[in-house]
Amino acid sequence: DAGITQSPRHKVTETGTPVTLRCHQTENHRYMYWYRQDPGHGLRLIHYSYGVKDTDKGEVSDGYSVSRSKTEDFLLTLESATSSQTSVYFCAITWDRGTGELFFGEGSRLTVL
Amino acid sequence: GQQVMQIPQYQHVQEGEDFTTYCNSSTTLSNIQWYKQRPGGHPVFLIQLVKSGEVKKQKRLTFQFGEAKKNSSLHITATQTTDVGTYFCAGQGGTSYGKLTFGQGTILTVHP
């Protein structure tokens, strides 16, 4: 158990509304990631963080922003949600001195109507 | 950018049959990882392969990494209903720590 909690676990929202997903970890991991999962696409990296206020874009970052003002929280924001952002979002961590394997949270299912 | 293709997308087997899923990367990888996701769950790390030609076993699961470090396979011998789920390969290139490129996944169904 990597001590990752995602919230909310389920959310339904309307097109054009802002949405923030939260990833909270309790073990002081430095590296955190946001992935989205869609049928036929596997998991795709949205944004990642290598420490407080140190974030960068992944493969599918358009329409998303992130913030990491403290080690334990990594926030993913959809400024104006679109139907194409309907997905399951997974937060993940890696061990600071590991070999890069990911440990995922339980996921947040977002539906944009 | 780096792409990882995984086949087949679906596999239905009878309990006791073998199962294999294959991954192929467009670029040479520093390592490849395998994950399993149970229905409704989150991906769980299974194993990492690093060396060219590496073969690792976990009970009935055999993982291989190709000589050119561009392809990999997962073979399950004598499937059980507990093997049901989606199996993903994920490639890591260069020094991109934790930034994995996932295959599309193979959904395995095991009929009792």
Side-chain angles (χ1 to χ4, degrees):
Chain A
D1 183 4
I4 305 169
T5 305
Q6 291 187 230
S7 60
R9 294 291 313 280
H10 301 271
K11 185 172 182 65
V12 179
T13 191
E14 293 187 349
T15 298
T17 60
V19 175
T20 295
L21 305 179
R22 180 188 186 219
C23 179
H24 179 78
Q25 53 116 341
T26 58
E27 300 183 0
N28 213 36
H29 298 294
R30 181 178 164 195
Y31 303 105
M32 300 183 75
Y33 309 82
W34 277 107
Y35 282 83
R36 62 177 287 176
Q37 183 176 23
D38 305 289
H41 290 277
L43 293 99
R44 292 178 291 174
L45 181 64
I46 307 171
H47 281 280
Y48 59 98
S49 171
Y50 285 175
V52 172
K53 296 184 180 179
D54 184 3
T55 65
D56 208 344
K57 296 178 180 180
E59 177 188 356
V60 289
S61 60
D62 287 349
Y64 302 94
S65 62
V66 290
S67 66
R68 192 159 179 212
S69 58
K70 46 186 179 178
T71 300
E72 57 265 36
D73 287 325
F74 191 29
L75 304 180
L76 177 70
T77 297
L78 292 66
E79 299 291 348
S80 177
T82 67
S83 59
S84 64
Q85 293 175 311
T86 292
S87 186
V88 180
Y89 292 86
F90 287 100
C91 175
I93 62 95
T94 54
W95 303 120
D96 291 0
R97 289 183 176 82
T99 51
E101 60 265 39
L102 294 172
F103 297 89
F104 289 88
E106 298 293 324
S108 295
R109 181 175 294 276
L110 175 67
T111 302
V112 183
L113 301 176
Chain B
Q2 180 178 287
Q3 293 184 344
V4 176
M5 303 300 293
Q6 187 175 354
I7 58 169
Q9 187 174 357
Y10 302 94
Q11 186 74 61
H12 300 264
V13 299
Q14 290 293 130
E15 190 173 19
E17 293 182 339
D18 292 356
F19 158 76
T20 304
T21 175
Y22 301 91
C23 268
N24 190 56
S25 171
S26 59
T27 60
T28 302
L29 301 170
S30 61
N31 68 71
I32 194 158
Q33 301 175 19
W34 286 90
Y35 293 80
K36 177 183 179 180
Q37 183 177 26
R38 295 185 186 277
H42 60 279
V44 174
F45 173 78
L46 293 176
I47 207 162
Q48 181 182 82
L49 304 172
V50 179
K51 299 177 183 177
S52 170
E54 189 169 16
V55 178
K56 287 188 176 181
K57 293 190 175 183
Q58 289 180 348
K59 298 183 180 178
R60 294 178 294 104
L61 278 63
T62 301
F63 304 84
Q64 295 188 357
F65 200 12
E67 294 291 339
K69 300 184 71 173
K70 295 181 70 175
N71 55 50
S72 182
S73 64
L74 159 59
H75 180 81
I76 302 178
T77 303
T79 54
Q80 300 175 358
T81 55
T82 54
D83 295 325
V84 164
T86 303
Y87 292 84
F88 293 98
C89 61
Q92 183 166 301
T95 59
S96 53
Y97 189 71
K99 292 169 59 182
L100 302 179
T101 301
F102 281 80
Q104 297 90 334
T106 296
I107 301 172
L108 174 64
T109 303
V110 180
H111 301 283

